[in-house]
Amino acid sequence: MKSFVATVLVALLFIVALIFGARNEQVVTISYFVAQGEYRLPVVLAVVFFAGFMLSWLVASYYIVKLKLALATTRKKLTAQTAKTPQGVDA
């Protein structure tokens, strides 16, 4: 259910960004360290939105994988500890 709500929120943000971009057709100047370029505002918004989404997805994936590995390690330790404990003895 959480992933569905998150997907709907991201889709709504994307739709709002598209509407905002469609209503603003100005050309903006982007200055880099060594150069500059002129781009339409919807293109800049789309690139920045996508870059932010990918960056946050990568960071979240890193922490999710880290937690899953820690959980797997803990389960192995628990299984090993359970196997050592005699069956008739209460802990």
Side-chain angles (χ1 to χ4, degrees):
M1 186 65 172
K2 286 182 184 180
S3 63
F4 175 73
V5 172
T7 303
V8 169
L9 285 175
V10 169
L12 287 175
L13 285 174
F14 186 69
I15 290 169
V16 168
L18 284 176
I19 292 170
F20 183 77
R23 305 270 305 158
N24 295 293
E25 286 292 326
Q26 295 97 321
V27 174
V28 294
T29 302
I30 306 293
S31 296
Y32 306 104
F33 291 113
V34 294
Q36 71 180 21
E38 292 187 1
Y39 304 99
R40 290 185 20 233
L41 185 60
V43 172
V44 173
L45 288 173
V47 168
V48 169
F49 180 79
F50 183 72
F53 178 76
M54 292 305 293
L55 181 63
S56 62
W57 183 77
L58 286 172
V59 170
S61 295
Y62 168 75
Y63 284 108
I64 289 170
V65 168
K66 185 177 168 182
L67 287 172
K68 285 188 177 189
L69 289 174
L71 181 61
T73 304
T74 305
R75 283 186 178 164
K76 284 182 184 178
K77 288 180 182 178
L78 179 62
T79 304
Q81 189 67 24
T82 307
K84 288 182 184 177
T85 307
Q87 297 297 331
V89 178
D90 290 332

